[in-house]
């Protein structure tokens, strides 16, 4: 054993003896501490194989103990001592560094990995050369960043020169982003200009976006505003320009609307134009609301106009309702009209429901009327139910009336019984019957049974029988049996038999047997 190794082990001895003097807090802690001490003693005796196993057993038995990371490191160390140039020890340290990244032993583990990796590379394993280079580069970067953080508080020209020099030499995107972050905190009038140059350079997209964000956070608001606007108007990639646009929305000075408005209305890229719309929406002033209303009617792209519409709906409810109502009633673009109606429904207030009903009455467009019906479902109150019932019963357009029936099935299914009794159109009543088949309980059965007693249209009555089969209740069996035995229409009676067969329960089978009895066959 060399003198260097002897000194190293003696150092370990001191550390381990100090740890061993800490008495366990209670009996429950004693067993793990004793196990750790036994493993530690084996390490001090240089019994590497036994120490490796003892530390491994400790880790397996005590995965959450305070000394688990210590034991994991010393297990790797004992393994290395047995095979100094072994890949197993390298991988052991590597796993330790990943699993216990906050351990005080990580630096030692990385140093040992570099030493072992160098031996492996020299012995014919060239892949370890790249690993070692990467580890050394990471270590160098960490040291460099620590120096940068210290320099950032100086702010003089030498600090700026040193920081930019490191940026120019840096190879990894990760390090460049860190340098940009530090640069943003430097108190120097040249900082914004340097960051703007990075944002418009040929660096990676992520580094350039980091520069944009660092500019927007800078204390010199006037210089930051001018720099961000310059990036927006530059030939930088779309992602960088979008980052600049969003940053403008977070600023509190400069002619923000004057810059963002024209981009939203006229930029050739709908993606950038929508970003400008969302940035205006973050400003939350009356001027911003007016600008969004202008964009909503004048932007080139329908997607941008819709984005403005949705941004308005997130603003003050009273102003939003007025703007959205105007679009829903007056716009010549059906897509914008429907989008406005749905945006109103998303407000989910009684006032929104009232405006939706006004739009329904004012528009002549069938599609907008249907959009109003679907949108009012989000409000879901008594006024919405009354509106839907009225449309289902009285609207002369079957398609619109059926839309009200389908929505009513989600809003207030119990109200469909009234529609079933009063709707003028056979098509609407059929839609109600099918909707009621999705209901549960006696109300659906009573409503459909009552309908069968009064309805004369065979097709509607047949549809009602099939709807009964969807109710999923044993109470439908006697109703279906009575229809199969006594209904005046053979078509309806046959439908009842088919439904009983589909139900397939014991009670349904008994009903089918009773239908086959002679008394019923002589009808």
């Amino acid at each position: 054993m060399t003198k260097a190794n002897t000194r190293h082990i003696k150092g370990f001895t001191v550390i381990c003896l100090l740890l061993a003097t800490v008495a366990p807090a209670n009996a429950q802690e004693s067993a793990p501490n004793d196990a750790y001490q036994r493993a530690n003693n084996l390490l001090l005796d240089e019994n590497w194989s036994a120490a490796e196993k003892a530390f491994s057993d400790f880790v397996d038995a005590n995965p959450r103990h305070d000394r688990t990371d210590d034991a994991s490191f010393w297990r790797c160390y004992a393994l290395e001592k047995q095979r100094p140039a072994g890949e197993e020890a390298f991988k052991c340290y590597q796993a330790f560094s990943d699993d216990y990244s906050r351990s005080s032993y990580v630096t030692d583990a990385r140093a040992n990995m570099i030493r072992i990796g160098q031996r492996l590379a020299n012995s014919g394993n060239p892949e370890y050369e790249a690993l070692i280079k990467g580890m050394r580069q990471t270590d160098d970067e960490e040291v460099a960043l620590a120096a940068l953080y210290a320099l950032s508080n100086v702010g003089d020209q030498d600090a700026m020169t040193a920081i930019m020099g490191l940026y120019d030499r840096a190879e990894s995107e990760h390090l460049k982003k860190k340098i940009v972050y530090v640069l943003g905190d430097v108190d120097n009038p040249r900082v914004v200009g340097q960051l703007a140059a990075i944002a418009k350079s040929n660096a990676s997209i992520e580094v350039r976006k980091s520069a944009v964000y660092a500019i927007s956070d800078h204390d010199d608001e006037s210089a930051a505003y001018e720099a961000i606007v310059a990036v927006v108007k530059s030939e930088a990639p779309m992602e960088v320009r979008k980052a600049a646009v969003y940053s403008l929305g977070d600023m509190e000075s400069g002619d923000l609307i004057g810059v963002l408005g024209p981009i939203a209305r006229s930029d050739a890229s709908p993606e950038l134009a929508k970003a400008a719309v969302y940035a205006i929406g973050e400003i939350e002033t009356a001027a911003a609301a007016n600008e969004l209303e202008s964009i909503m009617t004048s932007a080139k792209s329908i997607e941008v106009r819709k984005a403005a519409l949705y941004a308005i709906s997130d603003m003050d409810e009273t102003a939003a309702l007025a703007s959205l109502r105007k679009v829903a009633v007056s716009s010549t673009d059906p897509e914008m009209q429907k989008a406005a109606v749905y945006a109103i429904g998303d407000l989910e207030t009684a006032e929104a429901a009232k405006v939706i009903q006004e739009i329904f009455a004012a528009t002549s467009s069938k599609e907008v009327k249907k959009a109003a019906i679907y949108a009012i479902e989000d409000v879901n109150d008594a006024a919405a139910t009354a509106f839907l019932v009225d449309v289902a019963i009285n609207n002369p357009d079957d398609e619109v009336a059926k839309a009200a029936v389908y929505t009513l099935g989600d809003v207030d299914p119990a109200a469909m019984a009234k529609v079933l009794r009063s709707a003028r159109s056979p098509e609407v009543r059929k839609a109600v019957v099918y909707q009621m088949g999705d209901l549960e309980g006696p109300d659906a059965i009573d409503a459909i049974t009552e309908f069968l007693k009064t309805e004369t249209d065979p097709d509607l009555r047949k549809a009602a029988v099939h709807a009964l089969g969807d109710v999923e209740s044993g109470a439908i069996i006697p109703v279906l049996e009575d229809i199969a035995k006594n209904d005046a229409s053979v078509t309806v009676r046959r439908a009842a038999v088919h439904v009983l067969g589909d139900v397939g329960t014991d009670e349904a089978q008994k009903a089918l047997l009773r239908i086959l009895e002679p008394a019923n066959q002589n009808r």
Side-chain angles (χ1 to χ4, degrees):
M1 184 172 179
T2 66
K3 291 182 179 180
N5 284 340
T6 301
R7 287 196 299 270
H8 202 108
I9 290 297
K10 285 180 178 178
F12 294 154
T13 303
V14 174
I15 295 170
C16 293
L17 286 173
L18 287 172
L19 291 174
T21 60
V22 180
N26 53 49
Q28 187 176 2
E29 292 181 0
S30 178
N33 285 338
D34 289 345
Y36 182 89
Q37 189 59 56
R38 285 192 295 272
N40 200 48
N41 290 336
L42 292 169
L43 188 77
L44 294 173
D45 292 339
E46 301 184 24
N47 190 344
W48 308 124
S49 177
E52 177 202 342
K53 184 178 186 309
F55 280 123
S56 181
D57 291 344
F58 179 90
V59 171
D60 291 342
N62 305 281
R64 299 184 183 278
H65 195 272
D66 290 344
R67 291 183 173 178
T68 300
D69 63 321
D70 302 35
S72 296
F73 174 81
W74 293 121
R75 183 179 78 84
C76 297
Y77 181 84
L79 186 62
E80 180 192 353
K81 285 299 181 181
Q82 296 173 73
R83 292 178 289 279
E87 292 187 68
E88 191 176 356
F90 184 95
K91 291 177 181 177
C92 182
Y93 283 126
Q94 190 173 43
F96 169 81
S97 299
D98 292 339
D99 294 341
Y100 303 99
S101 58
R102 296 185 179 182
S103 171
S104 59
Y105 286 100
V106 166
T107 301
D108 292 329
R110 289 176 62 83
N112 293 350
M113 286 172 67
I114 291 174
R115 185 177 65 254
I116 298 170
Q118 191 64 63
R119 291 173 187 159
L120 289 167
N122 293 339
S123 61
N125 295 277
E127 66 271 18
Y128 282 92
E129 190 67 46
L131 286 172
I132 295 167
K133 183 179 179 182
M135 291 175 65
R136 283 176 172 157
Q137 180 179 337
T138 299
D139 290 343
D140 291 344
E141 288 180 0
E142 292 299 325
V143 173
L145 284 171
L148 279 182
Y149 289 128
L151 279 173
S152 67
N153 295 320
V154 177
D156 61 19
Q157 187 56 48
D158 288 341
M160 279 286 297
T161 302
I163 291 171
M164 290 309 302
L166 179 59
Y167 176 87
D168 292 336
R169 294 193 303 275
E171 296 180 4
S172 74
E173 180 182 273
H174 171 76
L175 181 57
K176 283 183 178 289
K177 288 173 65 177
K178 290 282 189 181
I179 295 170
V180 166
Y181 174 79
V182 173
L183 189 60
D185 287 336
V186 174
D187 183 16
N188 188 294
R190 292 183 54 214
V191 165
V192 172
Q194 292 281 11
L195 290 170
I198 292 171
K200 291 185 282 186
S201 71
N202 61 352
S204 74
I205 297 296
E206 291 303 313
V207 171
R208 295 168 75 172
K209 286 166 62 178
S210 295
V212 168
Y213 300 140
I215 294 170
S216 65
D217 288 337
H218 201 270
D219 291 338
D220 189 344
E221 294 183 4
S222 176
Y225 169 78
E226 294 296 335
I228 292 293
V229 170
V231 174
V232 171
K233 295 180 177 180
S234 72
E235 298 298 320
M238 180 58 59
E239 288 301 311
V240 178
R241 295 176 68 204
K242 279 172 61 179
V245 164
Y246 287 130
S247 295
L248 282 176
D250 292 332
M251 290 185 167
E252 297 180 356
S253 62
D255 184 15
L256 303 177
I257 294 174
V259 173
L260 294 169
I263 295 173
R265 276 190 293 273
S266 308
D267 197 272
S269 167
E271 190 175 354
L272 189 67
K274 285 195 292 182
V277 168
Y278 299 140
I280 294 171
E282 294 295 321
I283 296 174
E284 296 183 352
T285 63
N290 291 337
E291 186 67 21
L292 288 172
E293 188 164 348
S294 171
I295 294 167
M296 189 168 59
T297 57
S298 61
K300 293 180 179 180
S301 164
I302 178 65
E303 293 303 316
V304 175
R305 296 200 298 273
K306 283 184 179 180
L309 185 149
Y310 297 136
I312 285 175
S313 67
D314 289 334
M315 291 187 165
D316 175 73
E317 182 183 331
T318 302
L321 278 173
S323 297
L324 294 172
R325 185 187 187 285
K326 186 188 303 182
V327 173
V329 173
S330 305
S331 175
T332 57
D333 187 329
E335 288 299 312
M336 284 295 292
Q337 288 181 294
K338 289 191 291 183
V341 171
Y342 292 133
I344 294 171
D346 287 339
L347 296 175
E348 298 183 1
T349 64
E351 186 62 27
K354 181 180 177 182
V355 171
I356 288 173
Q357 293 177 62
E358 291 173 356
I359 293 169
F360 181 90
T363 185
S364 59
S365 166
K366 179 190 294 188
E367 292 305 310
V368 176
K369 283 183 180 291
K370 287 166 65 177
I373 288 169
Y374 299 140
I376 208 166
E377 178 181 347
D378 293 329
V379 180
N380 197 4
D381 63 4
T385 296
F387 165 72
L388 292 169
V389 168
D390 179 69
V391 172
I393 292 174
N394 297 313
N395 197 277
D397 188 313
D398 280 354
E399 193 174 338
V400 173
K402 286 194 291 184
V405 169
Y406 302 141
T407 304
L408 189 61
D410 293 326
V411 173
D412 187 0
M416 287 196 292
K418 181 177 180 181
V419 178
L420 191 58
R421 291 192 299 270
S422 306
R424 302 171 183 175
S425 164
E427 286 300 312
V428 174
R429 294 202 301 277
K430 185 185 293 185
V432 174
V433 166
Y434 284 126
Q435 280 291 101
M436 293 191 76
D438 294 332
L439 304 182
E440 297 179 358
D443 289 344
I445 298 172
D446 292 345
I448 296 174
T449 302
E450 186 64 28
F451 173 77
L452 284 166
K453 291 178 180 177
T454 58
E455 181 57 51
T456 57
D457 186 313
D459 288 338
L460 283 177
R461 297 176 73 245
K462 181 180 176 181
V465 168
H466 284 290
L468 270 177
D470 292 330
V471 174
E472 296 185 358
S473 167
I476 67 173
I477 303 300
V479 177
L480 290 169
E481 182 179 353
D482 180 68
I483 294 170
K485 289 178 179 179
N486 302 312
D487 198 272
S489 168
V490 173
T491 300
V492 175
R493 289 167 61 198
R494 187 183 300 130
V497 169
H498 288 160
V499 172
L500 282 169
D502 290 338
V503 171
T505 62
D506 289 344
E507 291 302 316
Q509 292 177 17
K510 291 176 183 178
L512 289 170
L513 290 172
R514 288 192 292 270
I515 292 169
L516 290 174
E517 291 174 357
N520 295 307
Q521 295 300 305
N522 294 329
R523 286 179 55 83

